[in-house]
Amino acid sequence: MPTKRRRIPTLDEEEVDEKKVSGIQRENASVSSKYFQSQKMRLLSDFYNKPCIDLAKSFLGQILVRRLPDGTELRGRIVETESYLGGEDEASHSRGGKRTERNVAMFMEPGTIYVYQIYGMYFCMNVSSQGDGAAVLLRSLEPMEGLDTMNKELCNGPSKLCQAFAIEKSFDRRDLANDQNTWLEASPEIPEEDIVSCARIGISNAGEWTRKPLRFYIKDNKFVSVRDKTAETTVNK
């Protein structure tokens, strides 16, 4: 079992009184820090404490923020996710309850970032949910802010969005609710009737799990990595 993480004070806790409303923190526009120069609302721990499928759908429409070392902030709206349900899921890194040095973040508190490397050079970002070894993969973003810094063509895929947002292995095991360099900001959730549910990408040799509808995306969003036309025909029916 991983040891309980020491809670790291965030900028808002150091500079202003924390205000929590239903898992959301409202920034104080009167504080001089750049971090507080808007009424944006940071998602807190309660938001992530959901079953994996629910969290994957709840992520759609929310805004991923990455603060670079020079203070530049990049923002992108999450438009595509995948659920990995833990021990029973034959396509999950934690299938069979397997816990390793690589995947330990999947067993940590909901909202823990899990970053793993593929092909020896690219990274993918996941976020833990309720359930041992369960996590949500962030697949695609719609670029919103910082387009001069990021390559907006690098947002429609899990390793591409990590390149665009400069997310690499050092982000593994960070708490997305408290980290000072990456977080989520609240935006209205996408209605169920606008969410496409379909099979995950690149899954093979996982038996019935290959076909389970555990990938979710916003219908008609042009930044989705791969559209499933058949699944789209069932939306709104």
Side-chain angles (χ1 to χ4, degrees), residues 51-70:
C52 194
I53 291 175
D54 292 344
L55 183 60
K57 292 181 178 181
S58 293
F59 274 147
L60 297 177
Q62 309 309 314
I63 299 168
L64 179 67
V65 186
R66 167 77 164 97
R67 178 186 289 155
L68 301 177
D70 66 359

Side-chain angles (χ1 to χ4, degrees), residues 82-93:
E82 289 181 349
S83 290
Y84 289 87
L85 305 184
E88 63 175 338
D89 187 343
E90 289 297 318
S92 175
H93 289 176

Side-chain angles (χ1 to χ4, degrees), residues 117-131:
Q117 193 170 34
I118 59 174
Y119 307 125
M121 58 188 302
Y122 301 118
F123 297 97
C124 295
M125 178 180 175
N126 306 256
V127 183
S128 65
S129 67
Q130 285 182 5

